[in-house]
Amino acid sequence: EGKAFFIDLTRCTACRGCQIACKEWHKLPAEETKNWGSHQNPKDLSYITYKLVRMKEVVDKKGHIQNWLFFPEQCRHCLEPPCKMAADDYDPEAIIHDPLTGAVIFTEKTKNLPFNEIREACPYNIPRQDPKTKIIAKCDMCIDRVQNGLLPICVKTCPTGAMNFGDRKEMVALAKKRLAKAKKIYPHASLGDLGDVRVIYLFQEKPNNYYEFAVASLDKNKYLSRKELLAKAFAPLK
Ligand code: SF4
Ligand code: SF4
Ligand code: SF4
């Protein structure tokens, strides 16, 4: 069963506590930032930014701001991670799938993998490469903390209850409970890719309004799991 996050976007205030805590815990350097006309800072994930609070203004046809959507993004720790499936063809030890927690961990051996292939395998556009060392990096579920019974630092830091973490079964139950509540205010509220990931988001609006990779592409064929692919390949002819 393993662990999971539940991220309730109706409670996120974009304080960025989670983003900063992630950097501090992993001793990652600050990005060189430029003003690019948004409060979102930095602009994108990188090999030194595993967690990014994305911000999106929703404007109506007249250009009036209707809503401001916040999306604290990180690796989803997929139940059947396509990044690992792609990596295993080259080196099964480069990306590790922790059996207890379900965390998907990129090791230093990722430096020998073809980066573009790994990035393209990820339906959420998460992996990033250090241009110098060639190591591919992303959120590691704070596995060092979780294995010692502590919460991931982003969850511990969140002041609003937007970030939650625990046994996957408990997080799924909490997500469903909060969804029912949210639906009363936001009729389009939904849980993103609930059956596929360990980072479950509660969206108050359509996921694509937040970010194009907020949920996996609807083109399911592109992201069939290895099991599904095999089943398809060996299906009896009709
Ligand atoms: Fe891998 Fe992407 Fe899934 Fe993270 S979100 S486990 S990088 S496929
Ligand atoms: Fe960063 Fe840890 Fe949160 Fe992942 S779980 S985003 S590594 S703080
Ligand atoms: Fe949102 Fe919580 Fe992160 Fe602040 S710490 S940006 S409220 S998820």
Side-chain angles (χ1 to χ4, degrees), residues 33-224:
T33 54
K34 288 185 206 99
N35 186 346
W36 62 287
S38 167
H39 292 278
Q40 181 182 312
N41 192 1
K43 194 172 178 179
D44 197 8
L45 293 175
S46 79
Y47 69 100
I48 53 169
T49 297
Y50 304 161
K51 175 111 195 174
L52 174 65
V53 182
R54 293 188 181 273
M55 304 185 191
K56 184 89 169 278
E57 286 168 4
V58 182
V59 289
D60 63 16
K61 281 180 190 146
K62 288 180 182 155
H64 298 141
I65 294 176
Q66 280 188 317
N67 204 350
W68 218 9
L69 298 175
F70 307 130
F71 182 53
E73 184 189 32
Q74 65 185 87
C75 162
R76 312 301 197 276
H77 297 278
C78 301
L79 298 182
E80 292 185 37
C83 59
K84 176 161 173 62
M85 288 179 200
D88 282 357
D89 287 342
Y90 300 91
D91 179 358
E93 289 175 355
I95 297 179
I96 293 168
H97 199 178
D98 179 50
L100 267 185
T101 60
V104 178
I105 310 286
F106 285 14
T107 71
E108 284 191 8
K109 292 184 177 175
T110 54
K111 67 174 185 256
N112 298 319
L113 298 174
F115 171 55
N116 282 338
E117 213 174 299
I118 304 304
R119 183 165 172 173
E120 276 164 25
C122 172
Y124 303 99
N125 187 25
I126 294 293
R128 296 289 187 275
Q129 188 181 42
D130 181 337
K132 279 203 192 113
T133 64
K134 305 293 177 200
I135 292 170
I136 312 175
K138 65 161 191 71
C139 158
D140 62 2
M141 203 192 264
C142 287
I143 189 78
D144 51 346
R145 294 179 57 89
V146 172
Q147 281 175 342
N148 285 300
L150 299 170
L151 286 172
I153 199 74
C154 53
V155 177
K156 184 157 191 287
T157 309
C158 178
T160 65
M163 300 279 314
N164 303 271
F165 183 83
D167 291 337
R168 189 165 187 279
K169 213 185 269 169
E170 279 170 33
M171 289 300 110
V172 169
L174 179 62
K176 287 183 175 167
K177 208 168 110 191
R178 294 254 192 105
L179 173 67
K181 223 166 142 189
K183 279 253 187 203
K184 293 183 186 146
I185 313 169
Y186 310 106
H188 292 297
S190 67
L191 300 173
D193 298 338
L194 180 66
D196 298 328
V197 292
R198 292 184 189 276
V199 179
I200 303 158
Y201 288 98
L202 166 53
F203 296 97
Q204 66 193 53
E205 287 206 13
K206 294 203 173 100
N208 285 350
N209 286 356
Y210 289 77
Y211 173 52
E212 62 173 311
F213 296 104
V215 288
S217 162
L218 291 177
D219 181 5
K220 276 279 177 191
N221 264 334
K222 210 171 156 191
Y223 302 119
L224 282 181

Side-chain angles (χ1 to χ4, degrees), residues 7 11-19 53 72 154 157-160 162-163:
I7 308 186
R11 295 196 181 196
C12 178
T13 59
C15 73
R16 277 195 281 239
C18 52
Q19 186 179 313
V53 182
C154 53
T157 309
C158 178
T160 65
M163 300 279 314

